[in-house]
């Protein structure tokens, strides 16, 4: 007994000593374990971890997606550059009515009366000032270019509208495709169960081989549709990544959303709204105004033109001026106005005729555009109502399929129907779900088309 107690005591002492050694070892290692290699505490995220978090999925709403597309679209950047070019073109035409000063110098050998190819006397240094004071044709061309610069800003708004539509369509379709994939994967499970039950019943002699083939065909069709939608999902993701300025490997998360429905509820007023805001109509009206400015200027081409001119020349005696002129002086200055009165100008007459034809063409285009926009708004309003009706039909069919499943579920619990019939009902419900998603997306397409035609796209994302 005493030997057993001694053994137990020695064992306890050994365990106690081991615990003390372990405690000292852990205490010595603790500061090293809590310190990251880069000096950060182990509980704090490192730079690599933070960078990894930035590579996670980007959760987007429809509004945020459109805002990102408007900031990063290459099409908008190009349209802005074109608008800037048009604005600079107006400055070039306006420059003739601003002071223009030129300086020059040169020297050359003269034999006979000193002159240059331009008709002026050769000079060591010259300074020329010109400024248009009254020139109606040039003024009309300048106003035409100014109106074209304003129309280029309308084009910029049209490009923005196109970016909004493309981004919204891709966003909404991506949500639809992902929802459809969820339904199809559930449908695939039902197709597997149906095939399994059918094969078992065939093995027992209760089913013909043709029923097994039908079940296999259903499963293969579901797999095919999954592959097609996965391909479409990848296409939409790549498109949105490019539109939003995201990396090629950046995942995108979208949420199902509905578009606002104010525009189509305007009724007859929607045509009047489109007449004020349709981009194509605004461009046609701007073109008419530009052609009117040009015609007005060309018609005043028979009026005199007045230009302020001034010249200074420093002449050299080695050009033999004293041999041909009674008095020679080095510094020469002239200032005044140059007036030209057109007596007969065939060019002015033809310019007026061309401007009239261009104006008539622009007016005809505007009248045609008004008729076209009015017809388009009415046609797209009817199309949207048809999409509304189709969506309601799809919703009721889905509701009916869901109610049918409820009935079959009760019958299956009571043993009145088998598992295969219940799974077939679930397949039908999934089909009705996808039909409803398609109908809803088609309605959203029609709504976006109508909003763009009516110039009401701002309601999509504001």
């Amino acid at each position: 007994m005493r030997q057993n107690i001694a053994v137990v005591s020695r064992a306890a002492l050994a365990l106690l000593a081991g615990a003390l050694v372990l405690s000292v070892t852990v205490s010595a290692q603790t500061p090293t374990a809590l310190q990251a290699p880069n000096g950060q505490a182990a509980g704090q995220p490192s730079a690599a971890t933070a960078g990894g978090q930035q590579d996670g999925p980007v959760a987007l709403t429809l509004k945020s997606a459109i805002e990102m597309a408007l900031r990063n679209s290459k099409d908008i950047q190009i349209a802005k550059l074109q608008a800037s070019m048009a604005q600079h073109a107006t400055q070039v035409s306006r420059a003739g009515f601003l002071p223009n000063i030129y300086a020059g110098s040169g020297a050359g050998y003269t034999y006979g009366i000193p002159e240059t190819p331009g008709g002026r006397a050769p000079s060591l240094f010259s300074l020329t000032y010109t400024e248009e004071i009254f020139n109606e044709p040039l003024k009309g061309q300048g106003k035409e270019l100014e109106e074209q610069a304003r129309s280029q800003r309308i084009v910029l708004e049209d490009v923005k509208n196109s970016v909004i539509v493309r981004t919204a369509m891709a966003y909404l379709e991506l949500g639809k495709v992902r929802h459809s994939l969820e339904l199809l994967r559930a449908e695939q499970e039902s197709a597997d169960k149906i095939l399994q039950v059918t094969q078992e019943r065939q093995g027992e002699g209760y089913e013909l081989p043709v029923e097994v083939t039908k079940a296999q065909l259903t499963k293969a069709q579901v797999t095919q549709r999954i592959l097609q939608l996965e391909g479409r999902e990848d296409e939409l993701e790549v498109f949105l990544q490019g539109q939003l300025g995201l990396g090629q490997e950046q995942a995108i998360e979208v949420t199902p959303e509905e578009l606002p429905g104010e525009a189509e509820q305007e009724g007859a007023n929607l045509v009047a709204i489109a007449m004020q805001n349709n981009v194509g109509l605004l461009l046609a009206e701007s073109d008419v105004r530009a052609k009117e400015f040009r015609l007005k200027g060309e018609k005043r081409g028979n009026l005199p033109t007045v230009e302020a001119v001034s010249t200074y020349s420093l002449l050299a005696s080695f050009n033999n001026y004293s041999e041909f002129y009674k008095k020679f002086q080095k510094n020469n200055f002239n200032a005044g106005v140059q007036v030209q009165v057109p007596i007969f100008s065939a060019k002015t007459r033809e310019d007026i005729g061309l401007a009239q034809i261009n104006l008539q063409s622009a007016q005809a285009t505007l009248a045609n555009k008004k008729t076209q926009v009015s017809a388009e708004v009415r046609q797209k309003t009817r199309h949207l109502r048809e999409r509304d009706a189709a969506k309601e039909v799809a919703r009721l069919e889905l509701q009916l399929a869901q109610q049918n499943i409820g009935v079959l579920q009760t019958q299956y619990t009571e043993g009145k129907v088998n598992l295969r019939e219940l799974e077939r009902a679930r397949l039908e419900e999934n089909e009705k779900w996808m039909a409803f998603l398609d109908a809803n997306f088609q309605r959203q397409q029609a709504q976006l088309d109508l909003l763009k035609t009516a110039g009401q796209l701002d309601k999509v994302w504001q």
Side-chain angles (χ1 to χ4, degrees):
M1 182 69 179
R2 290 178 179 176
Q3 292 178 350
N4 292 338
I5 292 173
V7 171
V8 172
S9 298
R10 287 195 295 270
L13 290 172
L15 288 173
L16 180 59
L20 290 172
V21 172
L22 181 61
S23 176
V24 172
T25 304
V26 171
S27 299
Q29 292 179 350
T30 298
T32 305
L34 293 177
Q35 192 71 19
N38 57 2
Q40 289 181 328
Q44 296 177 352
S46 63
T49 304
Q53 290 176 351
Q54 291 177 356
D55 293 335
V58 177
L60 297 172
T61 62
L62 178 59
K63 180 179 179 179
S64 63
I66 291 174
E67 289 174 345
M68 288 181 66
L70 291 175
R71 288 195 303 267
N72 298 288
S73 172
K74 299 296 187 295
D75 294 335
I76 293 178
Q77 294 174 10
I78 294 173
K80 286 181 178 179
L81 290 174
Q82 292 174 342
S84 180
M85 290 170 58
Q87 185 63 36
H88 281 291
T90 64
Q91 299 298 331
V92 172
S93 68
R94 193 181 302 167
F97 292 91
L98 299 175
N100 296 275
I101 302 175
Y102 306 93
S105 105
Y109 170 77
T110 60
Y111 178 77
I113 297 177
E115 62 180 349
T116 61
R120 294 181 58 182
S123 58
L124 294 176
F125 175 77
S126 65
L127 196 66
T128 304
Y129 160 82
T130 61
E131 180 180 354
E132 292 285 349
I133 297 177
F134 189 81
N135 190 325
E136 287 300 303
L138 186 60
K139 184 178 178 180
Q141 294 174 18
K143 288 187 174 180
E144 180 186 27
L145 289 174
E146 289 177 2
E147 187 62 40
Q148 289 175 353
R150 283 191 286 269
S151 69
Q152 199 63 43
R153 291 194 288 271
I154 299 175
V155 172
L156 174 59
E157 292 302 317
D158 187 41
V159 173
K160 289 181 179 179
N161 289 341
S162 298
V163 169
I164 291 173
V165 170
R166 291 198 302 266
T167 304
M169 292 293 296
Y171 181 95
L172 295 171
E173 187 178 0
L174 182 58
K176 177 190 81 80
V177 167
R178 287 180 174 174
H179 195 170
S180 299
L181 280 171
E182 293 176 3
L183 294 172
L184 281 173
R185 290 178 181 123
E187 193 171 323
Q188 193 175 36
E189 295 178 2
S190 297
D192 288 336
K193 292 179 182 179
I194 292 173
L195 178 60
Q196 181 181 358
V197 171
T198 305
Q199 288 175 337
E200 290 175 356
R201 289 175 60 84
Q202 184 201 15
E204 296 171 358
Y206 294 109
E207 293 289 351
L208 297 175
V210 66
E211 296 298 329
V212 176
T213 303
K214 290 180 180 179
Q216 291 174 337
L217 175 60
T218 299
K219 180 180 177 180
Q221 289 173 337
V222 172
T223 302
Q224 180 188 28
R225 294 173 66 184
I226 288 176
L227 292 174
Q228 291 173 344
L229 285 181
E230 286 177 344
R232 183 57 180 166
E233 180 186 23
D234 183 67
E235 292 175 1
L236 292 170
E237 284 183 342
V238 171
F239 174 78
L240 283 175
Q241 287 165 355
Q243 286 288 105
L244 306 183
L246 300 174
Q248 294 183 353
E249 302 301 326
Q250 182 71 65
I252 299 174
E253 291 182 358
V254 298
T255 55
E257 294 189 31
E258 291 294 333
L259 297 175
E262 292 88 347
E264 66 271 16
Q265 296 174 2
E266 296 288 344
N269 293 332
L270 190 58
V271 176
I273 293 174
M275 290 298 176
Q276 295 177 356
N277 300 307
N278 181 267
V279 173
L281 199 54
L282 292 176
L283 285 174
E285 292 173 349
S286 177
D287 189 43
V288 169
R289 287 194 297 270
K291 298 301 187 291
E292 287 175 345
F293 286 135
R294 183 62 178 266
L295 178 59
K296 183 178 179 181
E298 297 297 348
K299 283 184 175 180
R300 294 183 177 182
N302 293 319
L303 299 176
T305 61
V306 182
E307 181 182 14
V309 294
S310 178
T311 61
Y312 166 77
S313 300
L314 177 61
L315 306 181
S317 58
F318 57 75
N319 286 120
N320 303 320
Y321 286 104
S322 59
E323 295 182 9
F324 300 94
Y325 300 98
K326 292 182 179 180
K327 183 180 179 182
F328 168 75
Q329 65 180 38
K330 291 184 177 181
N331 295 294
N332 298 270
F333 176 76
N334 298 276
V337 294
Q338 179 176 333
V339 180
Q340 289 185 342
V341 181
I343 304 301
F344 174 79
S345 175
K347 182 179 182 303
T348 300
R349 184 181 59 187
E350 296 302 327
D351 286 341
I352 293 173
L354 178 60
Q356 287 176 334
I357 293 297
N358 287 334
L359 176 59
Q360 292 172 3
S361 176
Q363 290 172 338
T365 301
L366 175 59
N368 183 50
K369 191 66 180 178
K370 287 181 179 179
T371 304
Q372 181 181 352
V373 169
S374 177
E376 283 183 358
V377 171
R378 297 178 188 278
Q379 186 268 333
K380 290 176 181 179
T381 302
R382 290 193 299 268
H383 183 65
L384 180 58
R385 290 173 181 168
E386 293 172 2
R387 295 296 96 199
D388 276 331
K391 178 184 175 181
E392 180 63 15
V393 170
R395 186 190 69 80
L396 292 173
E397 289 179 345
L398 172 60
Q399 182 178 348
L400 184 61
Q402 291 172 337
Q403 292 173 347
N404 186 38
I405 284 183
V407 174
L408 289 176
Q409 185 69 47
T410 303
Q411 293 177 349
Y412 175 74
T413 304
E414 296 173 353
K416 296 180 181 180
V417 297
N418 56 34
L419 179 63
R420 184 173 62 175
E421 294 178 356
L422 180 60
E423 293 300 328
R424 282 178 177 171
R426 287 175 177 162
L427 282 178
E428 182 179 359
E429 182 201 14
N430 285 339
E431 292 296 325
K432 298 302 181 183
W433 248 118
M434 286 187 288
F436 173 76
L437 293 176
D438 288 337
N440 186 51
F441 179 65
Q442 290 174 3
R443 183 199 178 279
Q444 290 172 331
Q445 282 182 310
Q447 188 176 3
L448 281 171
D449 196 17
L450 177 60
L451 288 169
K452 183 179 180 182
T453 303
Q456 299 290 293
L457 271 178
D458 56 333
K459 292 184 178 182
V460 174
W461 62 289
Q462 288 185 352

